[in-house]
Amino acid sequence: MRKLGPILLACAVGPISVGAAQAQSAPSDGGPHGAVAIGPGVVPEFDGSRDMRVLPFVMADVRWGGVNVQVRGPGLRVDVISDPRLSFGPVIGARLPRNDADGRLGLLPEIDTAIEAGAFVGYRFGGDQYGQGALQMELSVLHDVSRTHNGLLATASASYSAVSRKDFFLSIDAQTTLANSDYTRTYFGVDQAAAAASGLRAYRPDGGIRDVGAGVTAGYWFSPKLGITARAGATYLVGDIADSPITEEGRRWQPAGGIMLSYRF
């Protein structure tokens, strides 16, 4: 289970521009078309960590018939509604484990990889035939199905496709996440036994807003098939989570980024 988390959670925090993926004409036989990108990236070692780890970054936006499969956010999702404006479908993702941490955090109980599943709904406002000028508003709700933290997280996000041409795309996005107390106490709480073992103060956070964040995704196509995509973003921990001794040992800023080779088909 621990090996699955890095594979899924290394997915970039934002999507490939849908307009850029659609700029490649759909095949006449109705086969799959879209864009995929893969390359090195950096993410925090675990929630609230100061240290970073290098992992594969993967982004994808593939359409086949009336179904749109996307690798984005913390995992894989499928848009099952064949509608240019409305999107809805299931989501599955993974949250990196907390193990082999440095310093006093290494004396806390380890946390296994969490597998989270749920659904998302979104709506696109405006935009031309390639998606340029579109504003995408989304809400996703995920619950831990692996019984690692048993928590529930709801994320509201907005992304704007500033540029979407055949050779270049640029999008910006913002998000905020609400987490319940099961999640916050697993990753940012310190019970009496853990406080005694680590020297950190005991802390019992409540649920609430976990973070606010923003990011930029850009890409350039060298040819009709090949290009390069870059992603940079960060979230800032707030609320009870920000006051946790775990965050004090780590940091409130949680950056992530990557650069990827892109293929369009």
Side-chain angles (χ1 to χ4, degrees):
M1 184 72 83
R2 288 182 182 176
K3 292 182 179 179
L4 180 61
I7 294 172
L8 291 178
L9 202 61
C11 301
V13 235
I16 285 180
S17 165
V18 174
Q22 289 180 326
Q24 187 80 351
S25 299
S28 57
D29 62 0
H33 67 286
V36 295
I38 186 169
V42 291
V43 297
E45 283 198 351
F46 52 84
D47 288 12
S49 174
R50 177 182 297 274
D51 298 325
M52 308 290 287
R53 69 170 75 185
V54 178
L55 291 174
F57 251 46
V58 179
M59 303 172 74
D61 190 338
V62 179
R63 295 180 180 273
W64 194 350
V67 176
N68 184 202
V69 179
Q70 301 169 341
V71 177
R72 58 184 297 184
L76 175 72
R77 69 187 213 165
V78 181
D79 179 5
V80 298
I81 296 182
S82 181
D83 188 282
R85 299 289 179 184
L86 181 66
S87 55
F88 172 80
V91 181
I92 186 169
R95 191 167 300 276
L96 291 175
R98 186 177 73 198
N99 51 32
D100 299 326
D102 296 328
R104 294 193 290 178
L105 295 183
L107 301 175
L108 297 174
E110 293 188 348
I111 302 173
D112 288 335
T113 299
I115 304 300
E116 300 164 351
F120 78 97
V121 61
Y123 192 81
R124 192 186 80 170
F125 299 87
D128 61 17
Q129 61 178 326
Y130 298 120
Q132 181 165 312
L135 176 65
Q136 181 83 10
M137 306 291 290
E138 292 183 357
L139 174 66
S140 64
V141 179
L142 292 172
H143 184 266
D144 172 31
V145 295
S146 60
R147 298 186 178 181
T148 299
H149 60 79
N150 292 310
L152 185 72
L153 298 101
T155 299
S157 63
S159 62
Y160 177 70
S161 179
V163 181
S164 183
R165 303 196 305 257
K166 288 186 176 181
D167 62 344
F168 178 73
F169 65 89
L170 172 70
S171 64
I172 56 177
D173 56 84
Q175 68 174 50
T176 185
T177 298
L178 181 71
N180 71 355
S181 58
D182 289 321
Y183 165 83
T184 62
R185 290 170 186 172
T186 299
Y187 289 94
F188 296 93
V190 182
D191 61 22
Q192 293 295 338
S198 65
L200 298 173
R201 58 185 170 87
Y203 187 69
R204 185 177 172 83
D206 291 323
I209 300 224
R210 177 193 186 275
D211 57 40
V212 292
V216 178
T217 306
Y220 179 76
W221 297 100
F222 303 113
S223 72
K225 298 283 188 183
L226 294 177
I228 190 169
T229 300
R231 165 74 187 177
T235 59
Y236 187 68
L237 302 177
V238 299
D240 280 11
I241 286 176
D243 297 329
S244 167
I246 293 173
T247 305
E248 292 171 356
E249 291 285 309
R251 84 176 143 195
R252 295 178 68 174
W253 281 108
Q254 299 285 278
I259 187 165
M260 295 146 279
L261 181 65
S262 309
Y263 177 72
R264 185 166 55 180
F265 58 96

